[in-house]
Amino acid sequence: MDKLIFLIPLLPFLGFLVNGLLGRRLGDRAVAIIGCASVAGAFAISVSSFLQVYDAKPDTFLQQDFGAWIQAGDLSVSFGLVIDSLSGVMCLVVTGVGLLIHIYSTGYMKGDAGYYRFFAYLNLFMASMLVLVAADNIVLMFLGWEGVGLCSYLLIGFWYKGLANCSAGIKAFVVNRIGDLGFLLGIFAIWAVFDSFKFSDIVADAATKDSSAAFWICLLLFVGACGKSAQIPLYVWLPDAMAGPTPVSALIHAATMVTSGVYLLARLGPLFDAAPGVLTIVATIGALTALLAALIAFSQNDIKKVLAYSTVSQLGYMFLAAGMGAYSVAIFHVVTHAFFKALLFLGAGAVIHSLHHEQDMRRMGGLRRRLPWTFALYLIGGLALSGFPLTAGFFSKDEILHVAHSGLGNIGPRGVLWGIGLLTALFTAFYTFRQIALVFFGSYRGASEPQASEESAAHGLELDKVKESPLSMRIPLIVLAALSLTGGFLAIPHFLQPGIEIPEDGKISGLIIGGIVSIAGIAAALTIYLRFPQALKGFISSAPGKLAHRLSSRKFYVDEIYQKLIIRPIGIMAEICFYVVDRLIIDILLVHGSGFGASALGHLLRRLQDGRTPTYAAWFLAGAIVVLAVTLWAAGG
Amino acid sequence: MSITLTLLIPVATAILLLCIPKDKTAELRMTALFGSLATLAFSLALLGGFDAQTAGFQFTEKHEWVPSLHIHYHVGIDGISLFLVVLSALLTPIAILCSWKSVEKRVREFHIALLLLTSGVIGVFVALDLMLFYVFWEVMLIPMYLLVGIWGSTERIRAAVKFFIYTMAGSLLMFLAILYLYQHTGTFSVEDIYQKPLTGTAGLLCFLAFALSFAIKVPLFPVHTWLPDAHTEAPTAGSVILAGVLLKLGIYGFIRFAIPFFPEAAVLAAPWISVLAIIGIIFGALMCFVQEDMKRLIAYSSVSHMGFVVLGLFAFNEQGVQGCVLQMVNHGISTGALFLLIGAIYERRHTRRILDFGGLAPVAPRLAIIFFITTLSSIGLPFLNGFVGEFLILQGAYSRNVFYAAFAGLGIILGAVYMLTLYRRIFFGETDREENAEMKDLEGRELAFLLPLVGLMVFLGLFSPWFTAKIQPSIEQWLKLVQAGGG
């Protein structure tokens, strides 16, 4: 199996090439088969590789090296892959969830004109993501990192006729690039300090290096992580990314790509341990992002936007864990989150599919009778996201809160961050069941004429025309639901971070508190939205309620602030540079008017310039020859 | 495997063209194409015979030319010039093919100019005698000037004049410096002058004279304003050669002449030039935000990209300089391809105004895909060529000064903004204009010269060690020269 790990990224890449180059001629069926089969192959190899590293001692790994990619002097970057327990787990999640989403997409995208293009991009994404995960050095990881960013851009703007989709794609790419600059500078710093890009070298030497070096490297890398994993201040692209087809939102913008930042921190854990200052920043940013995104999720009306903000929020939890030095706990949440958030997104996709591309929750309601399967499965995902006792999200989230509460190793407890995390857990349960109440309970509101929503695609779809989605879309949901229910029983932390010692004290009470908070949030949401909607309306029309609602629904005006403080000034600067510096100062003042000599020359030339170019050319040639002759003669003398 | 033959074939082809009646355009085009392909074949033979272990010049030829002045016909290639020669030879047949339908005026003269230009630029890259270099340097300007002035668009004369003023201003100062250098060292031989680097005030002044001339060619901020005009007005073939080869002459001049002749001054000036390069990176990128003409936009993006190249060079370390040489080739390929693509669009729609486009992706899928890959190459996406060069340059710059890399890195962000926005404005959205909806996709002839470039983008992106291994020994030796002289 050692010799086959290169196939994990290569198979999807071949799928991309075949589907991308020949897909148009192959027909949809063949495209779907190639797309799914390549990922299934990668999944199979991931499973067997994983079993091999899992069975053996904790520090075993598989690796392969295919020679140099970049080479200059003593700097060298190789095409090297490594599967150890960490990358093994990630490969499993990426290929496993990826496979389910590919299968789902065969039904969801049926009939779309860009069917082959969709699968080609999706396969390219899988290949890039697997390179990111399995790379044995940070530059190759960056290749995957940029590759997934590219696919994200392509898939957000998949329906390219809508310019808004394309703009959302560009926004995602550019905001990620801002983070990438940090990442790149971190890479340069790594080479300056470690003389190597290999993770194994960096991790081995991390403790021996000076702590300010570790601080700057980790801070820069964290900027990159903030971009890819949508943390404050770079989270703004992720909600807009929902413009892409829903399977994309599930795969890229929930389950896999956006967790890359967390993976980066886990991969370089010992280096971050050497930079406790950065860990504090990581944990704080994580907790604040979790809270901010949850507050925004309260008032969103788009079914996918709620999930998007909840993803941002859950990623915040992962960074909170990583910031405590509990990387394996963070990865645990990455895994469970991949299960239940993919389930939720695909479930939302099923709703959208059944409603003919309606995404506005104000035009849904009462769907549980017409879509019993979707409802049941969505409910499981919602429970897991809310951290309902014994679901996957319950265990992983409480592990994070527990670590924050009791501290880990050298890092003391962080009471404030724990409090924020707990509050966010309450909010999470609340907004999740607000969504479930709006979509599946109450009465159907989609048949009435379009009211407040301008972007709604469907115009008055009757309830009895709402139908369940095909089996190809339902089976992946069932698998994911099963994983969302049972995934919490995986003992990931100890397996991934053998040295980790999570204190036992207070673990049980933590679980109990977490369970109570979750149930309280769920109960509050269902009660308010199903029993007392008038009370809610009353609250929103009161002065403080109005302010709170406006802040939440306008996303705290962050986009507007960025627009005013960053984007607009850059535009103005560009105009000033062009008209004042380039045109006026350099061109007119310096080039055309720099003193008498130049203007005289210009005058002369203008006289020569009689419009007949050959004359002009002859003058030019003659001049050059004369100059040459005179100077040669002068040199000789 | 002879440099002289590689130089002479284009000239010989040009003479042959004179013998063909000027109304036989098909014959003229074919002859020129075959001549340029033969040049390419010879340059590839040089590449094949190149010994990657040798740091010094290879395939050298030396004959007396003007004995009384110690001027020699002395040519040779090392790792630094090798790929630039091949790139020049590669872009000529492409330039001929892309003009197959668009150039109908004075077909014979057009091809003669192109072929002479090829000889001129190859001559600059291989010359090892300072006077020989200067002759090539001046001679190649004439066909370039004619290409812009005769076959350009409406504002061609103005652009040609600007090109002329700028270039002449630089050349004259450089010529004075060359003469001074001869007086001081008694030789025009480049290798001999390496052994007697000029120091002190005289060295600084001579360096500045050379540097101004080369900075104009690069072009380095603030002497870049000729470039957008020349590019916008030049015919596609002219733009391709201009971006692909002519801009590299400036960088090459720095590497071959200005820096090793006056290492002390170069090291002294390095921080200043680096800062100018960084200003150019950001300034050039910002310029792209406000351009309405797609060709002008790409021209300004060249200013930005060439800033990276200069920055890498003046880092004076292995990563930076290798990145610089690699990125020269990369820029030639990807910006060359962008001009070809815009040329193809212009041929069909007779406009380059970005606002006139939109929704071309479904109409011309082949064009859309190649344009997209080229865009990615231009913005330095890993897997394609641009990344490797930028990565090495920035790593080199980082080792010199952390802030160089940080500020230059802003150019990468801005680059993504303007290129992706340009792409969106041309290819995405509804196809709402009839002229766009009826536009033809790329044809076989166009694919024939675009696909090899795309192939090179991928090849250079994945197998860059194949290139850097050949470049490395020469650069190591060069760095020793600079370090020995720079103190």
Side-chain angles (χ1 to χ4, degrees):
Chain A
M1 196 43 66
D2 297 53
K3 298 281 170 284
L4 290 182
I5 57 174
F6 73 99
L7 286 175
I8 298 177
L10 189 65
L11 282 177
F13 187 75
L14 292 175
F16 155 70
L17 286 182
V18 174
N19 275 343
L21 295 174
L22 309 171
R24 196 198 288 260
R25 267 161 259 162
L26 287 173
D28 288 0
R29 222 186 138 73
V31 164
I33 290 171
I34 291 166
C36 294
S38 64
V39 178
F43 178 61
I45 300 169
S46 298
V47 170
S48 63
S49 311
F50 176 77
L51 290 176
Q52 215 169 330
V53 290
Y54 182 73
D55 279 346
K57 292 188 207 88
D59 54 350
T60 35
F61 51 85
L62 309 175
Q63 63 174 352
Q64 257 185 320
D65 199 315
F66 296 94
W69 168 35
I70 299 175
Q71 181 100 49
D74 47 353
L75 178 152
S76 170
V77 180
S78 66
F79 285 110
L81 301 178
V82 62
I83 301 285
D84 57 4
S85 48
L86 179 59
S87 56
V89 167
M90 288 298 285
C91 279
L92 271 187
V93 173
V94 171
T95 53
V97 175
L99 177 60
L100 292 171
I101 292 171
H102 272 70
I103 295 171
Y104 177 93
S105 304
T106 60
Y108 188 84
M109 296 304 288
K110 204 172 204 78
D112 193 288
Y115 197 82
Y116 77 98
R117 205 158 52 85
F118 184 81
F119 276 92
Y121 292 166
L122 224 49
N123 276 359
L124 180 62
F125 169 78
M126 295 299 289
S128 307
M129 187 70 206
L130 290 163
V131 168
L132 189 164
V133 167
D136 78 344
N137 67 74
I138 195 160
V139 188
L140 190 60
M141 183 194 219
F142 189 73
L143 183 146
W145 187 275
E146 291 287 281
V148 292
L150 168 69
C151 298
S152 165
Y153 158 83
L154 286 169
L155 285 161
I156 294 169
F158 180 75
W159 289 306
Y160 56 73
K161 295 215 165 178
L163 281 178
N165 301 344
C166 304
S167 298
I170 293 178
K171 182 174 176 183
F173 195 89
V174 170
V175 174
N176 267 295
R177 273 248 155 155
I178 296 172
D180 291 349
L181 178 56
F183 194 163
L184 262 180
L185 292 173
I187 293 177
F188 299 145
I190 283 180
W191 192 70
V193 174
F194 291 94
D195 282 320
S196 169
F197 294 117
K198 271 201 186 334
F199 291 122
S200 51
D201 295 343
I202 300 167
V203 167
D205 290 353
T208 67
K209 299 294 178 187
D210 139 61
S211 67
S212 82
F215 177 85
W216 287 109
I217 293 173
C218 291
L219 190 64
L220 288 166
L221 293 179
F222 179 59
V223 172
C226 280
K228 194 65 71 195
S229 292
Q231 296 296 290
I232 294 173
L234 299 178
Y235 67 94
V236 289
W237 64 272
L238 184 59
D240 290 27
M242 297 302 123
T246 306
V248 171
S249 312
L251 178 61
I252 301 183
H253 304 123
T256 56
M257 182 185 86
V258 289
T259 63
S260 306
V262 184
Y263 176 72
L264 173 66
L265 265 64
R267 189 81 271 178
L268 288 171
L271 184 62
F272 278 84
D273 285 338
V278 177
L279 285 184
T280 307
I281 296 172
V282 171
T284 311
I285 294 267
L288 291 178
T289 308
L291 180 65
L292 178 80
L295 287 174
I296 298 175
F298 272 136
S299 60
Q300 297 303 308
N301 289 318
D302 184 309
I303 186 170
K304 286 177 72 179
K305 283 271 164 76
V306 177
L307 294 177
Y309 279 105
S310 103
T311 304
V312 174
S313 176
Q314 296 299 308
L315 289 164
Y317 274 111
M318 297 170 202
F319 280 102
L320 173 57
M324 298 300 299
Y327 311 104
S328 55
V329 176
I331 294 293
F332 184 27
H333 200 55
V334 166
V335 174
T336 59
H337 177 257
F339 297 152
F340 62 72
K341 191 52 69 65
L343 171 60
L344 285 169
F345 263 116
L346 296 184
V351 172
I352 294 166
H353 193 260
S354 298
L355 295 179
H356 300 220
H357 294 284
E358 177 60 78
Q359 293 186 201
D360 191 335
M361 296 193 298
R362 284 169 296 190
R363 298 174 48 75
M364 297 178 182
L367 293 175
R368 68 181 189 282
R369 286 192 208 88
R370 292 296 305 174
L371 306 172
W373 273 102
T374 308
F375 168 63
L377 296 165
Y378 201 91
L379 188 64
I380 292 172
L383 288 171
L385 172 60
S386 308
F388 190 81
L390 302 184
T391 59
F394 171 71
F395 289 108
S396 54
K397 191 186 292 177
D398 278 311
E399 193 92 43
I400 293 170
L401 291 176
H402 174 63
V403 168
H405 183 255
S406 49
L408 186 75
N410 302 329
I411 299 162
R414 298 190 206 263
V416 179
L417 300 185
W418 170 77
I420 294 176
L422 198 65
L423 186 65
T424 306
L426 179 71
F427 291 171
T428 308
F430 185 88
Y431 70 69
T432 307
F433 277 81
R434 163 186 178 260
Q435 180 180 49
I436 288 178
L438 287 175
V439 174
F440 293 103
F441 290 94
S443 53
Y444 181 62
R445 299 176 294 275
S448 54
E449 278 308 297
Q451 23 176 316
S453 62
E454 294 143 20
E455 62 268 48
S456 88
H459 291 278
L461 183 73
E462 295 302 326
L463 185 60
D464 51 10
K465 294 210 179 93
V466 176
K467 281 198 291 274
E468 274 283 13
S469 330
L471 208 57
S472 60
M473 289 169 63
R474 196 182 307 155
I475 289 170
L477 287 178
I478 294 172
V479 177
L480 285 169
L483 289 168
S484 300
L485 286 175
T486 59
F489 296 101
L490 301 167
I492 281 187
H494 296 279
F495 151 59
L496 276 187
Q497 211 172 346
I500 192 172
E501 278 175 26
I502 298 172
E504 288 298 321
D505 294 351
K507 202 160 185 178
I508 302 297
S509 55
L511 286 174
I512 294 171
I513 295 172
I516 293 172
V517 163
S518 159
I519 293 171
I522 295 171
L526 291 179
T527 317
I528 290 175
Y529 279 90
L530 299 182
R531 297 276 165 201
F532 306 107
Q534 293 313 318
L536 185 75
K537 283 211 179 96
F539 170 69
I540 288 176
S541 49
S542 74
K546 205 178 244 170
L547 179 68
H549 183 260
R550 178 173 297 168
L551 278 178
S552 168
S553 63
R554 301 302 301 270
K555 307 154 201 163
F556 294 93
Y557 296 94
V558 173
D559 273 316
E560 286 81 354
I561 293 169
Y562 285 177
Q563 180 72 32
K564 283 233 162 64
L565 290 186
I566 300 170
I567 300 168
R568 197 58 213 125
I570 290 179
I572 292 172
M573 207 159 79
E575 305 225 339
I576 291 174
C577 279
F578 182 56
Y579 292 107
V580 180
V581 181
D582 204 71
R583 282 277 166 90
L584 186 69
I585 297 179
I586 300 178
D587 238 18
I588 297 178
L589 295 183
L590 293 181
V591 178
H592 287 296
S594 69
F596 180 74
S599 71
L601 179 65
H603 219 74
L604 188 69
L605 285 168
R606 232 166 283 138
R607 202 137 41 119
L608 290 176
Q609 188 191 315
D610 56 0
R612 286 189 301 150
T613 330
T615 329
Y616 198 23
W619 272 107
F620 182 71
L621 189 61
I625 291 170
V626 168
V627 168
L628 201 64
V630 167
T631 39
L632 278 178
W633 170 77
Chain B
M1 276 194 290
S2 155
I3 294 174
T4 306
L5 275 178
T6 318
L7 274 174
L8 283 179
I9 293 170
V11 179
T13 315
I15 294 169
L16 193 63
L17 289 185
L18 280 176
C19 310
I20 301 175
K22 59 168 136 189
D23 50 337
K24 300 217 176 234
T25 56
E27 285 83 350
L28 286 167
R29 290 182 205 278
M30 284 311 275
T31 313
L33 180 62
F34 275 112
S36 66
L37 286 174
T39 316
L40 176 60
F42 271 80
S43 75
L44 288 176
L46 291 173
L47 177 60
F50 188 83
D51 174 19
Q53 309 300 321
T54 310
F57 293 100
Q58 305 183 27
F59 314 110
T60 48
E61 292 170 55
K62 191 171 183 178
H63 307 285
E64 284 204 330
W65 184 18
V66 188
S68 59
L69 290 174
H70 311 289
I71 300 177
H72 292 84
Y73 172 80
H74 186 191
V75 293
I77 287 177
D78 67 352
I80 297 167
S81 49
L82 173 69
F83 289 109
L84 294 170
V85 170
V86 177
L87 181 69
S88 313
L90 171 71
L91 290 178
T92 313
I94 291 178
I96 292 171
L97 274 174
C98 79
S99 316
W100 211 259
K101 287 183 180 163
S102 55
V103 171
E104 283 165 346
K105 180 168 83 172
R106 296 173 183 268
V107 175
R108 187 168 70 177
E109 287 77 4
F110 175 81
H111 288 99
I112 291 173
L114 258 185
L115 289 162
L116 292 181
L117 181 61
T118 309
S119 274
V121 292
I122 295 181
V124 172
F125 288 134
V126 299
L128 295 181
D129 181 288
L130 207 44
M131 199 45 79
L132 182 67
F133 152 74
Y134 192 74
V135 169
F136 279 124
W137 178 268
E138 288 297 313
V139 159
M140 119 227 133
L141 288 178
I142 298 164
M144 188 64 228
Y145 165 75
L146 294 177
L147 280 176
V148 177
I150 299 180
W151 292 275
S153 345
T154 43
E155 292 280 301
R156 58 181 183 267
I157 300 291
R158 197 174 62 82
V161 169
K162 211 163 164 186
F163 176 70
F164 176 83
I165 295 180
Y166 258 113
T167 322
M168 268 330 244
S171 298
L172 284 175
L173 278 175
M174 178 166 73
F175 194 69
L176 290 176
I178 290 178
L179 294 181
Y180 183 87
L181 204 55
Y182 175 67
Q183 264 195 335
H184 181 77
T185 59
T187 175
F188 282 117
S189 159
V190 171
E191 285 172 296
D192 290 348
I193 300 175
Y194 284 173
Q195 304 311 319
K196 306 172 196 165
L198 196 58
T199 55
T201 316
L204 185 63
L205 286 175
C206 285
F207 174 79
L208 290 178
F210 272 83
L212 178 66
S213 181
F214 296 142
I216 288 171
K217 262 287 170 322
V218 168
L220 193 64
F221 178 88
V223 286
H224 64 275
T225 57
W226 64 271
L227 182 76
D229 284 330
H231 260 315
T232 313
E233 301 308 325
T236 303
S239 295
V240 170
I241 303 281
L242 194 56
V245 190
L246 252 68
L247 304 189
K248 278 73 203 185
L249 293 174
I251 306 281
Y252 179 78
F254 273 113
I255 304 183
R256 182 67 80 224
F257 308 108
I259 295 171
F261 284 0
F262 322 104
E264 193 188 74
V267 170
L268 197 70
W272 300 92
I273 295 184
S274 300
V275 168
L276 284 180
I278 292 167
I279 295 176
I281 290 171
I282 298 172
F283 185 88
L286 284 176
M287 291 297 91
C288 296
F289 283 56
V290 286
Q291 301 309 318
E292 287 304 322
D293 182 310
M294 49 176 100
K295 216 168 167 187
R296 193 170 270 272
L297 191 155
I298 302 301
Y300 274 111
S301 85
S302 273
V303 175
S304 184
H305 285 147
M306 294 312 284
F308 276 102
V309 178
V310 174
L311 184 65
L313 175 59
F314 279 87
F316 291 146
N317 53 36
E318 231 167 309
Q319 288 75 40
V321 181
Q322 288 205 28
C324 157
V325 174
L326 197 61
Q327 195 66 354
M328 278 200 265
V329 179
N330 288 337
H331 177 264
I333 293 169
S334 31
T335 306
L338 280 171
F339 279 121
L340 290 167
L341 290 160
I342 288 174
I345 295 175
Y346 183 74
E347 242 175 75
R348 290 162 169 77
R349 292 274 286 101
H350 300 288
T351 170
R352 292 185 306 254
R353 233 163 58 101
I354 301 170
L355 282 173
D356 292 337
F357 294 92
L360 287 191
V363 180
R366 281 180 284 203
L367 176 72
I369 291 168
I370 294 179
F371 203 115
F372 190 66
I373 297 173
T374 311
T375 299
L376 295 181
S377 155
S378 169
I379 65 177
L381 199 89
F383 200 80
L384 296 171
N385 55 348
F387 174 74
V388 183
E390 270 179 12
F391 180 81
L392 288 175
I393 285 171
L394 287 175
Q395 178 80 64
Y398 183 95
S399 305
R400 178 65 44 198
N401 184 331
V402 175
F403 293 100
Y404 288 177
F407 282 101
L410 294 176
I412 301 185
I413 300 173
L414 298 175
V417 179
Y418 65 74
M419 283 309 288
L420 290 179
T421 309
L422 173 71
Y423 192 83
R424 187 198 64 187
R425 293 174 74 185
I426 300 176
F427 288 97
F428 291 151
E430 296 286 346
T431 321
D432 44 9
R433 287 171 191 244
E434 209 172 306
E435 308 93 290
N436 290 334
E438 286 166 358
M439 209 183 94
K440 283 201 181 65
D441 203 353
L442 294 177
E443 58 186 46
R445 171 183 59 91
E446 289 159 324
L447 291 175
F449 58 74
L450 284 168
L451 288 180
L453 292 179
V454 172
L456 279 174
M457 289 173 204
V458 177
F459 184 76
L460 271 157
L462 292 180
F463 304 103
S464 66
W466 188 82
F467 289 76
T468 45
K470 293 187 170 56
I471 301 172
Q472 186 153 329
S474 300
I475 286 179
E476 276 171 4
Q477 195 189 34
W478 183 86
L479 281 171
K480 276 187 206 128
L481 269 181
V482 176
Q483 274 146 13

